[in-house]
Amino acid sequence: MFKFLKDKIGKWAKKVSEKTEIKEKPKEIETPVKINLKEQTSKQDLEKEINEKKVETKKEVKIPVKFNAGTHAYEPDLEKLEEIKKEEETPEPGKKGFFKKITSKINKVKISEKEFEVYSEELEMLLLENNVALEVAEKMIKELKEKIIGKELLKKEVEGEIKDCFKEIIEEILIDPFDLVEKIKEKISNQKKDPYVILFCGINGTGKTTTLAKIADSLKSKKISCVIAAADTFRAASIEQIKEHGEKIGVKVVSQEYGSDPAAVGFDAIKYAKKNFINCVLIDTAGRMHTSKNLLKEIEKISRVCKPDTKIFVGESITGNDVIEQAKSFDWEIGIDGVVLTKADIDEKGGTALSVGYITKKPILYLGTGQAYDKIEPFDKQKFIEKLGL
Ligand SMILES: Nc1nc2c(ncn2[C@@H]2O[C@H](COP(=O)(O)OP(=O)(O)OP(=O)(O)O)[C@@H](O)[C@H]2O)c(=O)[nH]1
Ligand SMILES: [Mg+2]
């Protein structure tokens, strides 16, 4: 998953490093340039002269030049000089010869603003195609530009430098998630009776119920007792579905009839948890479109009645920018605390994970990475950056 930076940004950076050295022959300058050479006396003298960039051999040497866009100067052409180099004697150890000096000079590039503009359009397209939101793509390009323009680099360093810059930018964009398990432990150690309440919300079919079951299973393995509220009383077979999960993971499910008030189901589950000293209540809710005012009012009621400690928005990582709009709507309505991005296992792009947190200012808490109960990973900034191939 998330291969886009590894594959594509790398290629883009390579292109930048190759193209910053303009290869066309400048019209007003004739190449190669002829340098007239003096008579050589000794090997030492020759090396001395070479180090002062005055080539000295017995014959006349033609030094080809080409334009370096980085330094805005004409410089010797390395490839052609290599041919001449073969005819020269190797300088004594410790002495940096003429060709070495030329080599290091010629390999240096400086990316100008003009050049960057040409490539930034391509980069923006690349980011947008990979689900990075426009606002975030623009920020990334602006920051990369500030970091890279005018910086003198060895040609071979350009790709690595661009990747390093991206790494820094992404580190800044991503929000550090809070540790949900720690928060639960903190609350249950302070207040013996009140359970920690988690509400799951999102549009239809994003993986709310599966994520809830995964989290309940993981909490149970950490000795945090759980009860599930089957507060999706709307979708056909939703209660059977959550009960099946409950049976598989060994967690009690509190439910009512289809069509009953979901806020009441949540309230019942909290009551059950208090009575039975259960640590955590996980409330499953029906999928609802973020554009439906009535359904958003309903989730607002569930939230108002159940007063969850954490409200988790569950979105699909593959949906791209739509997830951002959905998360914003739910946040507007109930104030979400964090995001779970599901189906990261089938997301090759990764841009959604990069953008959703930055735009909503809410941390990504977990990534869903498959259908099985153990296919959930706490979101880790460094791991995510590694997955992007940086
Ligand atoms: N590949 C993959 N599939 C997932 C993941 N999470 C959930 N799914 C699958 O997505 C489908 C929908 O999951 P549900 O948990 O029922 O989604 P929901 O949001 O509760 O759906 P509604 O209640 O109908 O709104 C199921 O087939 C899940 O197995 C994930 O991280 N990766
Ligand atoms: Mg569901």
Side-chain angles (χ1 to χ4, degrees), residues 208-209 232 235 241 284-285:
K208 296 174 294 299
T209 306
D232 177 358
R235 183 175 59 76
Q241 183 196 8
D284 187 30
T285 65

Side-chain angles (χ1 to χ4, degrees), residues 257-287:
E257 297 298 306
Y258 281 102
S260 57
D261 180 3
V265 181
F267 193 76
D268 267 7
I270 295 167
K271 227 163 62 187
Y272 177 91
K274 282 184 184 173
K275 199 172 155 206
N276 295 282
F277 301 98
I278 307 263
N279 301 142
C280 188
V281 178
L282 300 103
I283 306 175
D284 187 30
T285 65

